[in-house]
Amino acid sequence: PGPRYERAQEYVLNHKYGEAAEEYEALLEKDPDNLLYHAELGLLYYNNAEQLSAELGWDHARAMDGTVKHMK
């Protein structure tokens, strides 16, 4: 998938979820149909919603929370 994807994965491993989310979102801007990027971002928000809401702001995380609930 490339260096940006690898950087996102590294951020996740280091618990830098906000940075990881930003990388996945940037990847999706360039390749909006990529199912891997959608899955990774969805799992990131699903598993780390509380920390992401603190890092990215409540509105951003809440918007994604609705998307994640819809996917369940």
Side-chain angles (χ1 to χ4, degrees):
R4 181 162 241 165
Y5 176 80
E6 291 173 12
R7 188 168 45 244
Q9 292 290 295
E10 188 68 28
Y11 284 141
V12 171
L13 291 173
N14 289 307
H15 307 282
K16 295 180 178 181
Y17 303 124
E19 289 93 337
E22 290 171 1
E23 291 295 331
Y24 288 128
E25 289 170 357
L27 286 164
L28 283 166
E29 283 183 26
K30 293 184 183 235
D31 189 2
D33 296 326
N34 189 303
L35 296 178
L36 174 64
Y37 301 157
H38 280 284
E40 294 285 3
L41 183 60
L43 286 171
L44 179 68
Y45 276 103
Y46 183 80
N47 291 324
N48 305 288
E50 189 172 308
Q51 184 168 343
L52 280 166
S53 68
E55 288 184 35
L56 296 175
W58 175 250
D59 292 336
H60 189 84
R62 183 143 171 86
M64 288 306 299
D65 185 49
T67 302
V68 170
K69 285 181 183 173
H70 178 69
M71 294 181 348
K72 286 184 182 178

